[in-house]
Amino acid sequence: MVWNRAASTAVWHHSNAYPKPGAREFKKGAPMAVSDHVDLEKFMEGVKKRNPGQTEFIQAVQEVAQDIFDFIEDKEEYHEAQILRRIAEPDRVVSFRVCWEDDDHNIRVQRGWRVQNNNAIGPYKGGIRFHPSVTESVLKFLAFEQTFKNSLTGLPMGGAKGGANFNPKGKSESEVMRFCQSYMTELYRHIGPSTDVPAGDMGVNGREIGYMFGQYKRITNRWEGVLTGKALEYGGSVMRPEATGYGAVYFLCNMLADKADAIEGKTAVISGAGNVATHAAEKVCQMGGKVLTLSDSDGFVHDPDGIDLDKIEWVKWLKNEKRGRISEYVEEFTNAEYHEGQRPWNVPCDLALPCATQNELNEDEARTLVDNGCMAVSEGANMPTTHDGVKVFHDAKIMYGPGKAANAGGVAVSGLEMSQNSERISWNKERLTDMLTSLMADIHDKCVEYGRENGDDGYIDYVKGANIAGFKKVADAMLAFGAV
Ligand code: NDP
Ligand code: 2IT
């Protein structure tokens, strides 16, 4: 097969020193006399042109592309097959109307999506987000990131993400049910246990998964493992609710262990108060750390006594049962302070775990964390640190675990839920805990393999490591398939 670079619309290498289109004489290992900078710039120009106004998607591609360009500089096969160009173009973006009736009998219309980014290494896999901030750009960035994250787990899962601009906050139980059913009434035709297996994300937890699974089953008359994050009674996996938060803390432990250090005795600042944040907080406590903060989109609470396991149970009740706001924490635990409209990053700490949403930690906040002595950041959320914030962490050479590696425990246990559903068997807590622990250690090791810098201090660039390790598996599978 000869790939005709000239016929392609992509913008890769332009130097005369580069082999002519279709030429195969390039020798592996011989660096090309081209400027990476120019090529990356041109590649990104193309991405921006093709995805106007999709800032989150462009940000995510940029962060991956800079590492991948370095890695593939001398690897002609990836250039010829235009691998990164293809991964940065979703296989498909399905967009649909979600019509539902509220309790006052008003007809409401939301927009729903499923972005199927890449299924080279397994069925599409990734969460569903219900939040007013959901746009096509947000879901495209999440599906793109998911492709690398899922690859890093070592399990056979492609990358996808879905959602709707629906705000579950303040909605009644039956409104949420009707919305979930309407969303699934369109989504069901695009998914399946060997096609695409959605799960939860922001605004989608056990309750919503239940309503969507019930509707899928009703429409198709099939009980099959088409969603993960299910309750234990109908095919869910032990440890799935805990997996993302626990996994992010295991990743943090692995980073610290590389420096012969541990969580015990350290203070942690955590953002969010949802599934990921509360389970990350729980694991930090269990490992002897002290959690100082939690937050939601209205503000954060700072508890100088520490948010211990009992208090975390109360927060879980507040968010999942009462569906209240984190501000209510200070009414229950009166030594704590609530900071309306603020984020927690100015509270001095040893460890930071952003577990709420994208771009919730900017350059100034990153600098404040570093200046206050923060030694490690492990991201439970997806892309919570801005591009400039990441640079601050790298320049300061503190340990920084990006979401696509640090929060991969959730989708990894989703992958194990799929295996259990296929086998029609349920594994026990001990087995799943062991598997999650070793999966996170493997992901850490892959990041170290591709991210450890040469030089005396051996600084580990976990972003680079995660990007390259995640890319390589997907890219090699795509090479095997030819131009599809
Ligand atoms: P939840 O819906 O359970 O919780 C989200 C939390 O983040 C809530 O406390 C929410 O507060 C808060 N939040 C939302 N938007 C903002 C904002 N703009 N500023 C501050 N806080 C905000 O979601 P999850 O815990 O499941 O997800 C959190 C993050 O983790 C997301 O980035 C998600 O993509 C990522 N993730 C989740 C996985 C999972 O298994 N669930 C797996 C891997 C990553 P409020 O109530 O005000 O909205
Ligand atoms: O961002 C994520 O990895 C998730 N929301 C979990 C996806 C999944 O399929 O479990």
Side-chain angles (χ1 to χ4, degrees), residues 160-303:
K161 202 82 183 191
N165 61 349
F166 171 74
N167 188 357
K169 252 177 267 166
K171 301 291 187 299
S172 72
E173 194 71 29
S174 47
E175 286 177 328
V176 170
M177 181 183 75
R178 284 196 294 277
F179 180 80
C180 289
Q181 290 175 340
S182 186
Y183 179 82
M184 183 52 83
T185 300
E186 175 62 32
L187 185 70
Y188 90 95
R189 70 190 79 239
H190 305 293
I191 61 176
S194 300
T195 306
D196 184 354
V197 182
D201 193 79
M202 275 164 62
V204 177
N205 226 304
R207 173 181 68 168
E208 292 75 17
I209 292 290
Y211 291 141
M212 287 193 271
F213 189 79
Q215 184 71 352
Y216 179 88
K217 191 170 64 59
R218 175 200 214 176
I219 296 172
T220 61
N221 196 27
R222 284 198 301 269
W223 193 111
E224 52 194 11
V226 71
L227 297 176
T228 61
K230 302 185 290 298
L232 296 181
E233 296 77 22
Y234 59 94
S237 174
V238 175
M239 288 300 288
R240 177 61 189 88
E242 297 88 349
T244 311
Y246 281 18
V249 177
Y250 293 152
F251 194 86
L252 182 57
C253 289
N254 283 299
M255 290 198 293
L256 289 164
D258 197 72
K259 299 257 178 293
D261 207 341
I263 286 180
E264 196 174 355
K266 296 201 168 49
T267 53
V269 160
I270 299 182
S271 65
N275 173 272
V276 180
T278 51
H279 289 108
E282 194 168 287
K283 189 47 75 183
V284 168
C285 288
Q286 287 169 0
M287 294 190 150
K290 183 175 178 183
V291 176
L292 296 176
T293 66
L294 287 172
S295 73
D296 62 22
S297 49
D298 295 330
F300 79 92
V301 286
H302 177 197
D303 187 340

Side-chain angles (χ1 to χ4, degrees), residues 418-429:
M418 290 167 70
S419 304
Q420 293 169 79
N421 290 166
S422 303
E423 277 191 54
R424 299 190 190 283
I425 197 164
S426 295
W427 302 334
N428 64 22
K429 186 172 172 187

Side-chain angles (χ1 to χ4, degrees), residues 378-421:
S378 182
E379 294 184 339
N382 286 306
M383 206 169 74
T385 310
T386 63
H387 187 70
D388 293 338
V390 174
K391 198 168 173 317
V392 171
F393 294 146
H394 278 159
D395 288 349
K397 303 230 167 203
I398 69 164
M399 292 168 252
Y400 167 67
K404 68 178 72 108
N407 73 36
V411 75
V413 175
S414 275
L416 302 179
E417 183 173 331
M418 290 167 70
S419 304
Q420 293 169 79
N421 290 166

Side-chain angles (χ1 to χ4, degrees), residues 10 16 42 119 142 150 153-154 197 252 265 350 372 397 417 445:
N16 288 338
K42 284 190 183 295
N119 66 351
L142 289 163
N150 293 3
T153 66
V197 182
L252 182 57
D350 303 312
N372 283 340
K397 303 230 167 203
E417 183 173 331
D445 292 351

